[in-house]
């Protein structure tokens, strides 16, 4: 079903869903999986969890990682895709005991969002999801030359400064290094949040690091995991955890060592990762959900991502 889907993001793979359920299963929720079939063939799978509400009623939310990632239904790519999603929505509307549907991290171009956006819903503030369309450029050099001159000059200057310190190395994590690289990424991220006194619910939640370590290890041999690492004299200074699906790369988690901030190592690794993407057949680099405008300096476009609550009351239908 994943191979036939319209939006094959890494967050719809079975391995991802299974690991997400491991995070949810000890909480007061149960699996609520909706399957749509046409003449016996599965054409849509919607992975939800149900939470009891007022005795016999319940709310639905996506089976997710409890971290900010796109949520979507798995729907077969065909001329009937929107009709299949429509069947799902009609089914949900008919569920008498369903009182609320939580649509977390829905892209504006989501097939599911198209069916719900026209009815009364409660939405939070839109969060941008920048992306780079690499097909707009013949090669990396053309893309890079289109960035601002100030950015390019400063990037070159910082790389020369790093080179004077020692050996600067860009690498992709391997099966032998992925466990240590993920551990460094999360330890550095936690340290940053602690020092800045900016608590992060998803980062501090039990099981977060274990989930991403398992997902990264699962995809490392197939090439679906791109954990890019920047080091100076063998010391890791920045890391980006990306997931590849086909010709699209998704930026999941990133961090850098603050001791190296003056050298803009986070930006350096971003540009090195983009260059590597150009040279390895990537057509789109989705920088994903972020309210930090720095990503937009590298982007060629932005898609709105929303959190919405649909009140399943019959007067709407």
């Amino acid at each position: 079903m994943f191979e036939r889907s319209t939006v094959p993001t890494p967050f719809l793979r079975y391995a991802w869903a299974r690991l997400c359920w491991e995070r949810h299963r000890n909480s007061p929720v149960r699996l609520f999986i909706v399957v749509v079939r046409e003449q016996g063939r599965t054409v849509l799978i919607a992975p939800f969890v149900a939470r009891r509400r007022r005795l016999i009623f319940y709310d639905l939310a996506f089976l997710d990682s409890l971290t900010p990632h796109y949520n979507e239904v798995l729907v077969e790519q065909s001329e009937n895709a929107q009709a299949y999603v429509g069947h799902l929505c009609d089914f949900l509307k008919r569920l008498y005991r369903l009182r609320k549907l939580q649509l977390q991290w829905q892209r504006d171009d989501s097939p599911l969002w198209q069916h719900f956006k026209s009815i009364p819903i409660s939405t939070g503030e839109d969060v941008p999801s920048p992306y780079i369309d690499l097909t707009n450029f013949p090669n990396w050099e053309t893309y890079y030359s289109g960035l601002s001159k100030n950015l390019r000059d400063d990037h070159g200057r910082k790389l020369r400064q790093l080179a004077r310190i020692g050996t600067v190395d860009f690498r992709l994590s391997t099966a032998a290094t992925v466990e240590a690289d993920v551990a460094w990424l999360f330890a550095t991220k936690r340290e940053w949040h602690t020092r800045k006194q900016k608590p992060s619910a998803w980062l501090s939640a039990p099981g977060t690091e274990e989930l991403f370590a398992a997902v990264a290890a699962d995809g490392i041999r197939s090439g679906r995991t791109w954990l890019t690492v920047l080091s100076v004299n063998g010391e890791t200074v920045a890391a980006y955890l990306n997931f590849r699906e086909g010709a699209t790369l998704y930026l999941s988690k990133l961090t850098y060592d603050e001791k190296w901030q003056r050298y803009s190592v986070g930006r350096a690794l971003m540009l090195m990762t983009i260059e590597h993407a150009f040279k390895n057949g990537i057509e789109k680099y989705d920088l994903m959900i972020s309210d930090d405008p720095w990503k937009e300096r590298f982007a060629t476009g932005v898609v709105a991502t929303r959190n919405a609550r649909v009140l399943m009351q019959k007067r709407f239908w």
Side-chain angles (χ1 to χ4, degrees):
M1 184 63 215
F2 180 86
E3 299 301 329
R4 293 186 283 122
S5 67
T6 56
V7 189
T9 74
F11 320 114
L12 283 171
R13 282 191 173 273
Y14 169 73
W16 182 268
R18 175 176 54 81
L19 290 165
C20 287
W21 175 237
E22 290 299 319
R23 295 204 68 185
H24 282 275
R25 66 186 310 161
N26 293 322
S27 62
V29 300
R30 62 182 176 88
L31 280 174
F32 193 102
I33 310 299
V34 183
V35 180
V36 176
R37 293 184 176 92
E38 182 178 54
Q39 297 181 342
R41 188 183 78 258
T42 298
V43 295
L44 182 147
I45 302 175
F48 297 116
V49 290
R51 184 181 299 273
R52 187 180 294 276
R53 181 174 185 257
R54 295 181 182 177
L55 298 178
I56 68 169
F57 300 109
Y58 55 87
D59 298 337
L60 288 185
F62 278 102
L63 172 62
D64 63 6
S65 65
L66 303 177
T67 67
H69 281 96
Y70 301 140
N71 288 309
E72 191 51 84
V73 297
L74 203 58
V75 59
E76 181 179 82
Q77 182 163 7
S78 78
E79 60 183 14
N80 298 320
Q82 283 295 338
Y84 299 148
V85 177
H87 283 300
L88 167 67
C89 296
D90 290 341
F91 170 76
L92 294 175
K93 294 171 186 178
R94 292 196 302 267
L95 294 175
Y96 174 74
R97 292 194 296 154
L98 176 58
R99 284 297 176 259
K100 183 173 69 176
L101 175 63
Q102 193 76 33
L103 300 176
Q104 314 104 308
W105 306 119
Q106 284 281 287
R107 285 170 55 98
D108 195 44
D109 54 3
S110 157
L112 188 60
W113 180 255
Q114 301 305 311
H115 281 266
F116 280 109
K117 68 179 183 179
S118 61
I119 68 172
I121 56 177
S122 173
T123 60
E125 186 176 353
D126 291 357
V127 181
S129 293
Y131 63 86
I132 305 170
D133 186 346
L134 279 67
T135 64
N136 288 344
F137 309 92
N139 50 44
W140 152 253
E141 289 76 18
T142 306
Y143 166 80
Y144 183 65
S145 66
L147 298 176
S148 75
K149 185 176 184 303
N150 287 343
L151 186 152
R152 288 184 283 116
D153 288 348
D154 190 57
H155 174 61
R157 181 165 52 251
K158 296 296 174 58
L159 284 184
R160 290 190 293 273
Q161 292 172 357
L162 286 172
R164 286 196 289 270
I165 295 172
T167 302
V168 180
D169 181 53
F170 168 85
R171 65 175 173 85
L172 255 65
S173 191
T174 65
T177 67
V178 63
E179 183 177 352
D181 290 337
V182 171
W184 182 90
L185 188 154
F186 276 90
T188 305
K189 208 164 187 65
R190 281 193 296 270
E191 182 182 337
W192 184 90
H193 280 274
T194 300
R195 186 165 50 250
K196 297 294 185 180
Q197 297 183 338
K198 293 183 176 181
S200 170
W202 70 262
L203 185 59
S204 59
T208 298
E209 182 175 343
E210 290 79 3
L211 181 146
F212 282 95
V215 171
D218 179 71
I220 201 76
R221 288 181 175 83
S222 65
R224 294 198 308 271
T225 296
W226 278 29
L227 207 173
T228 56
V229 179
L230 180 64
S231 62
V232 179
N233 288 334
E235 177 186 350
T236 299
V237 298
Y240 278 34
L241 177 58
N242 307 272
F243 299 112
R244 177 177 184 169
E245 286 298 343
T248 301
L249 193 64
Y250 296 84
L251 174 57
S252 177
K253 298 287 177 278
L254 60 112
T255 194
Y256 63 88
D257 189 334
E258 256 201 326
K259 298 194 300 288
W260 296 84
Q261 183 175 5
R262 61 178 293 193
Y263 300 104
S264 301
V265 291
R267 181 187 65 191
L269 184 54
M270 168 68 85
L271 290 169
M272 291 175 181
T273 301
I274 296 171
E275 181 178 7
H276 190 74
F278 267 100
K279 295 177 179 178
N280 286 272
I282 297 298
E283 296 178 359
K284 181 180 180 181
Y285 191 8
D286 192 329
L287 304 181
M288 295 209 39
I289 305 159
S290 176
D291 54 6
D292 189 335
W294 77 272
K295 286 184 180 179
E296 296 183 27
R297 291 184 293 172
F298 308 97
T300 60
V302 176
V303 173
T305 307
R306 297 183 170 90
N307 289 293
R309 185 174 66 246
V310 183
L311 301 177
M312 308 299 283
Q313 299 175 21
K314 304 303 178 187
R315 64 185 177 88
F316 290 158
W317 327 120

